[in-house]
Amino acid sequence: MLVLGIETSCDDTSLALVRGGREIVVSRISSQVQTHAPFGGVVPELAARDHLTSLPALLDDLLDEAGLDLHSVDAVAGVYGPGLLGALLVGLATAKSLALGLGKPFIGVNHLQAHLFANFLQSPELDFPFLGLVVSGGHTLILDAPEPNVFRVLGKTVDDAAGEVLDKIARLAGLPFPGGKYVEEQARQGDPASVALPRPVSSSGPLDFSFSGLKTAAAMALRTDRHSLPDMMASLQQAVIDCITLRVDRALKETGRKTLVMAGGVTANRALLSQLQETCAARNVDVHCPPPWLCTDNAAMVASLAYFRLVQGVTSPQDLDAVAQLGPEVV
Ligand code: KG4
Ligand code: ZN
């Protein structure tokens, strides 16, 4: 079964053809980094317009590279939330109209759940149940996933997301936006123990995260200007990694899950992966993490999730609306 996936929830325009939920036939990701760079963050209206102008050519490219006709697609999937409303609407309307025109099923998917499915594209043996960790620019979540349609939130951030903290501090330090990957680059040359930064614990729930205190402390440390950029970034990265590892370790202990599935832009960070691999090894837990290009936003993960819905006979109605604040557990 061949699924066309469309992802436009934020600032990446992406299309992919995925066969059987696990094999990427072809994938295209067009970044809007240049559009938003002068503003130091994503401008929602510009994001929506950019998606609108790039989607048609991207679709032609995709089909050319695959050597396939649009009619060989068995279903079309799009993201209906969470994300920027205007940006979501462009991809969702495209997915719905392509499905309608082709007379094929349409599947609307949750972007946060889709991130986890990037792992099915890399790990043929991966199956439910698992503990999911989604760390992105907008979310820091621990989800229990007993089966393909059930996602139970065990922990979430009560203020900033981990990616937001990295992006904010990177920007204050003069690094390009989004800063996560530049933080990682700088951190490779730095000493993670050089700047004393807190590992804040949220008081609202045992597995919740709180990063705003760390963000403030890092911004203040940066202002004193006594540390080299690599030392500052290594210390910041280590503090974020420690906060995440502590919560994941506890979630694994409490749930007894034996598989950890990582997803979202921040999991492209290989230092985070290696620390979680150590933690999981000590608990005899398997770790799955996609390669960096599948950790960040992409349409292959959308098509993969849609395939798992389709084989269960689940499709979405044509009047499915975009939901900017869609909860992580909503299917
Ligand atoms: O999942 P994603 O592409 O978009 C959202 O849905 O938010 O995640 C983007 C986030 C940004 O905060 C970006 O700085 C971060 O992922 N990121 C990284 C790395 N690559 C991207 N953070 C740390 N290390 C990286 N290598
Ligand atoms: Zn994302």
Side-chain angles (χ1 to χ4, degrees):
M1 199 181 290
L2 189 67
V3 179
L4 170 64
I6 302 178
E7 157 66 46
T8 64
S9 64
C10 190
D11 60 340
D12 290 304
T13 317
S14 180
L15 289 165
L17 287 169
V18 170
R19 203 181 302 278
R22 295 187 186 253
E23 182 207 337
I24 300 174
V25 177
V26 55
S27 156
R28 278 274 190 277
I29 303 172
S30 165
S31 164
Q32 299 181 356
V33 165
Q34 302 302 337
T35 306
H36 303 288
F39 306 97
V42 179
V43 183
E45 184 59 31
L46 294 181
R49 281 191 224 167
D50 245 37
H51 290 312
L52 199 58
T53 46
S54 27
L55 270 173
L58 222 51
L59 181 59
D60 286 346
D61 271 10
L62 190 87
L63 294 168
D64 275 358
E65 191 184 331
L68 291 169
D69 180 64
L70 203 46
H71 291 274
S72 43
V73 166
D74 296 303
V76 187
V79 171
Y80 77 102
L84 304 171
L85 193 60
L88 286 167
L89 282 169
V90 175
L92 190 65
T94 307
K96 290 199 282 193
S97 40
L98 283 172
L100 194 65
L102 293 166
K104 300 286 168 70
F106 156 71
I107 304 104
V109 310
N110 183 318
H111 175 83
L112 297 168
Q113 295 168 11
H115 264 302
L116 291 167
F117 282 74
N119 289 276
F120 288 95
L121 301 161
Q122 290 296 308
S123 310
E125 77 289 4
L126 177 61
D127 207 350
F128 292 84
F130 57 71
L131 190 76
L133 170 70
V134 181
V135 200
S136 69
H139 296 85
T140 312
L141 283 167
I142 299 179
L143 298 168
D144 190 34
E147 50 187 273
N149 287 335
V150 181
F151 298 87
R152 203 158 51 90
V153 179
L154 302 182
K156 61 186 183 318
T157 181
V158 295
D159 39 53
D160 298 308
E164 238 172 307
V165 175
L166 296 175
D167 293 346
K168 179 74 193 285
I169 302 301
R171 191 176 164 205
L172 287 177
L175 295 170
F177 180 86
K181 75 170 183 186
Y182 303 100
V183 170
E184 184 174 21
E185 263 172 39
Q186 291 288 332
R188 280 194 211 109
Q189 336 302 330
D191 172 8
S194 54
V195 186
L197 292 172
R199 273 67 173 151
V201 176
S202 159
S203 53
S204 71
L207 294 170
D208 279 349
F209 300 88
S210 170
F211 287 107
S212 62
L214 171 60
K215 187 173 81 176
T216 307
M220 283 172 69
L222 201 63
R223 234 171 269 143
T224 63
D225 217 14
R226 283 182 292 111
H227 311 282
S228 71
L229 191 58
D231 280 354
M232 185 64 225
M233 294 305 149
S235 303
L236 170 67
Q237 177 178 279
Q238 192 56 51
V240 169
I241 292 174
D242 286 348
C243 292
I244 295 171
T245 309
L246 283 165
R247 294 296 181 285
V248 168
D249 189 45
R250 193 152 161 189
L252 289 170
K253 186 172 157 214
E254 286 177 10
T255 59
R257 292 286 183 228
K258 286 292 163 203
T259 306
L260 175 70
V261 171
M262 296 166 64
V266 179
T267 62
N269 188 293
R270 298 296 103 166
L272 172 64
L273 172 61
S274 87
Q275 188 158 319
L276 282 170
Q277 279 168 333
E278 271 177 40
T279 301
C280 288
R283 289 202 177 276
N284 226 355
V285 168
D286 283 340
V287 185
H288 295 265
C289 185
W293 76 274
L294 279 174
C295 288
T296 46
D297 291 347
N298 67 85
M301 66 189 196
V302 174
S304 173
L305 169 51
Y307 167 82
F308 284 86
R309 292 280 144 77
L310 270 174
V311 292
Q312 291 177 320
V314 180
T315 61
S316 306
Q318 272 288 334
D319 64 357
L320 181 72
D321 219 342
V323 184
Q325 304 287 339
L326 188 67
E329 65 291 331
V330 183
V331 167

